[in-house]
């Protein structure tokens, strides 16, 4: 009985110690009610930001252990344009013209309390409908996620690999 307790205690301590080495991505939304293009509906806006938060959280798997990426979203302009409908629900139309996705981010990549990289970036994808994406066509944010993937691979991953 005592051996099991010690083993479980040792496992818990090891787990806590290793959790400090995990990579982490955190995101905050600065004044989301003022964003260029997120639904007027409070429910839809919350759903969109939750979807983005879940997606940003998955980026931690691409970071080395012990690194933290802090992202502040300053503006979002989704692909396409919203058009109001009589029933109160907006419909998003994407025509591939001047309606490409755009995001304004501020970020800091840290390890052991030291800043490895930081910046203030304007992301956009003018050819958003002309490229294949690794995201499902049923994903309403597939073009924005593709744009975020490009940004992450270009700005964050090369710096991570250089360490």
């Amino acid at each position: 009985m005592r051996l099991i307790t010690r083993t479980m205690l040792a496992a818990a301590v090891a787990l806590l110690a290793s959790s400090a080495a995990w990579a982490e991505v955190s995101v905050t939304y600065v004044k989301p009610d003022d964003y260029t293009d997120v639904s007027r509906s409070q429910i839809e806006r919350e759903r969109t930001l939750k979807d983005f938060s879940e997606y940003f959280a998955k980026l931690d798997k691409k970071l080395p252990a012990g690194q933290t990426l802090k992202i502040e979203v300053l503006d979002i302009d989704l692909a396409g344009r919203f058009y109001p409908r009589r029933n109160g629900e907006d419909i998003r139309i994407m025509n591939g013209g001047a309606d490409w996705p755009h995001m304004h981010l501020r970020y800091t990549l840290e390890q052991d309390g030291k800043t490895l990289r930081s910046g203030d970036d304007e992301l956009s994808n003018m050819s958003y409908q002309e490229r294949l994406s690794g995201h499902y066509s049923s994903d309403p944010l597939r073009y924005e996620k593709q744009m975020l993937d490009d940004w992450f691979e270009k700005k964050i991953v090369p710096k991570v690999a250089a360490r």
Side-chain angles (χ1 to χ4, degrees):
M1 183 74 159
R2 214 171 236 205
L3 180 60
I4 292 173
T5 304
R6 285 185 190 165
T7 305
M8 289 177 60
L9 181 60
V13 169
L15 181 62
L16 286 173
S18 69
S19 70
W22 291 346
E24 180 184 1
V25 175
S26 66
V27 62
T28 56
Y29 300 95
V30 179
K31 298 182 182 178
D33 292 338
D34 295 339
Y35 288 173
T36 301
D37 182 28
V38 177
S39 178
R40 294 176 298 161
S41 159
Q42 182 70 23
I43 293 170
E44 187 61 33
R45 182 175 31 252
E46 288 173 5
R47 184 179 307 141
T48 299
L49 297 181
K50 181 179 181 256
D51 195 4
F52 274 126
S53 293
E54 290 170 355
Y55 190 71
F56 280 120
K58 292 178 184 177
L59 296 176
D60 68 356
K61 293 172 184 57
K62 298 179 180 182
L63 291 174
Q67 290 194 350
T68 302
L69 177 62
K70 297 176 183 174
I71 301 171
E72 291 178 278
V73 178
L74 305 173
D75 192 24
I76 298 174
D77 186 355
L78 300 173
R81 294 288 169 252
F82 272 128
Y83 292 96
R85 293 175 45 186
R86 289 186 184 178
N87 65 0
E89 289 185 29
D90 295 335
I91 185 168
R92 181 168 291 281
I93 306 291
M94 295 177 222
N95 63 23
D99 62 349
W100 57 81
H102 173 85
M103 289 182 91
H104 183 190
L105 305 176
R106 188 170 28 226
Y107 68 95
T108 304
L109 179 64
E110 299 176 342
Q111 183 163 7
D112 302 323
K114 295 180 184 176
T115 299
L116 302 177
R117 181 163 176 81
S118 64
D120 189 305
D121 287 342
E122 300 274 346
L123 287 57
S124 63
N125 183 1
M126 294 171 65
S127 58
Y128 72 98
Q129 288 186 322
E130 297 172 11
R131 294 178 46 204
L132 292 176
S133 170
H135 302 281
Y136 294 111
S137 61
S138 61
D139 185 344
L141 299 176
R142 65 190 171 277
Y143 299 119
E144 291 77 13
K145 291 175 182 178
Q146 177 185 32
M147 180 177 65
L148 288 167
D149 290 342
D150 293 345
W151 168 78
F152 190 82
E153 295 297 322
K154 181 180 177 186
K155 290 286 187 154
I156 306 300
V157 173
K159 297 299 177 187
V160 168
R163 289 203 88 239

